Amino acid sequence: MLALTIALLALAAGLVASAMRRVPAGQVYSLYRRGKPLRLLQPGTHWVWPALDRIGHRIDLAGQVLRFEQAQADSHELRGTVYWQVLEPERADAVIDEAAQLIRRSALDALSVEPTPTAADRRDLGTRMKQAINGVLRERGVMVTRVELEIA
C-alpha cells in the first residue's frame, strides 16, 4: 500500500512538473495545441496541458547576426553582416524557421539590382540594402537593424 501511495505521488509530481513551462527573459515561446497555434507564452512561468500542448518555436527577441558572401561579376568579393531582430513575435512565428534564408535571399536580391559597389559607397549601399530587406520583412514581424558591408 505504501509503495502504491509513493508511486501515485511521484506520478502526480511528474505531471505537475511537465505542466509547468518557464520562459526566460528576452524570449517568447509559441504554444501549439493539436498542431495549430494557440498563443504566445511571454517571459515567466506558465501552466500548459502536458499531453495536448507543445512548444512550437522559441523566439529570441534579442538581436540576431547573419553573415553572407556574394561574388560580383567584376571579381570583387562582397561580404557582409546583417543584424536583425524579431519585433512582432505573433507575425514572426510563421516564418521564424526560414528567417535567415529569407534575409539572405532578400540581401542578395537587393545586391543584384545595385551597380558594382566600391569601398567608398558601401555605407550608402548598406543603407539601401537595409531598406530593401525591411520592405520584405516588415510585414512578417522581423526588422533589419543594421547592414555592414566589406568589399574585397
Side-chain angles (χ1 to χ4, degrees):
M1 186 67 177
L2 180 63
L4 181 61
T5 304
I6 291 173
L8 286 175
L9 286 175
L11 180 67
L15 191 60
V16 167
S18 68
M20 257 184 11
R21 292 284 187 254
R22 169 102 173 77
V23 180
Q27 291 188 359
V28 175
Y29 290 178
S30 60
L31 187 68
Y32 284 71
R33 181 172 291 164
R34 295 187 195 126
K36 296 183 180 175
L38 183 63
R39 66 175 192 234
L40 293 176
L41 301 179
Q42 301 296 327
T45 303
H46 302 274
W47 293 95
V48 298
W49 290 102
L52 296 176
D53 297 340
R54 70 173 182 81
I55 301 299
H57 299 107
R58 290 170 168 81
I59 302 171
D60 190 2
L61 299 177
Q64 307 287 325
V65 178
L66 176 68
R67 298 264 315 146
F68 68 91
E69 294 184 13
Q70 171 69 20
Q72 297 294 319
D74 62 351
S75 75
H76 283 299
E77 184 84 13
L78 182 67
R79 294 185 187 102
T81 306
V82 176
Y83 299 88
W84 62 280
Q85 74 180 98
V86 173
L87 294 181
E88 298 178 49
E90 305 84 24
R91 290 181 177 182
D93 183 39
V95 296
I96 198 68
D97 290 334
E98 306 91 42
Q101 292 172 331
L102 186 62
I103 292 169
R104 186 180 312 274
R105 191 173 343 121
S106 298
L108 295 178
D109 288 347
L111 281 174
S112 68
V113 298
E114 290 289 334
T116 305
T118 62
D121 67 342
R122 71 176 184 221
R123 175 174 244 154
D124 293 334
L125 177 59
T127 302
R128 289 192 304 270
M129 272 184 61
K130 176 181 152 184
Q131 291 170 348
I133 297 169
N134 279 335
V136 173
L137 296 177
R138 189 167 288 130
E139 65 206 23
R140 294 183 170 119
V142 177
M143 185 179 93
V144 171
T145 56
R146 187 172 67 191
V147 175
E148 291 180 356
L149 298 175
E150 305 161 10
I151 300 171

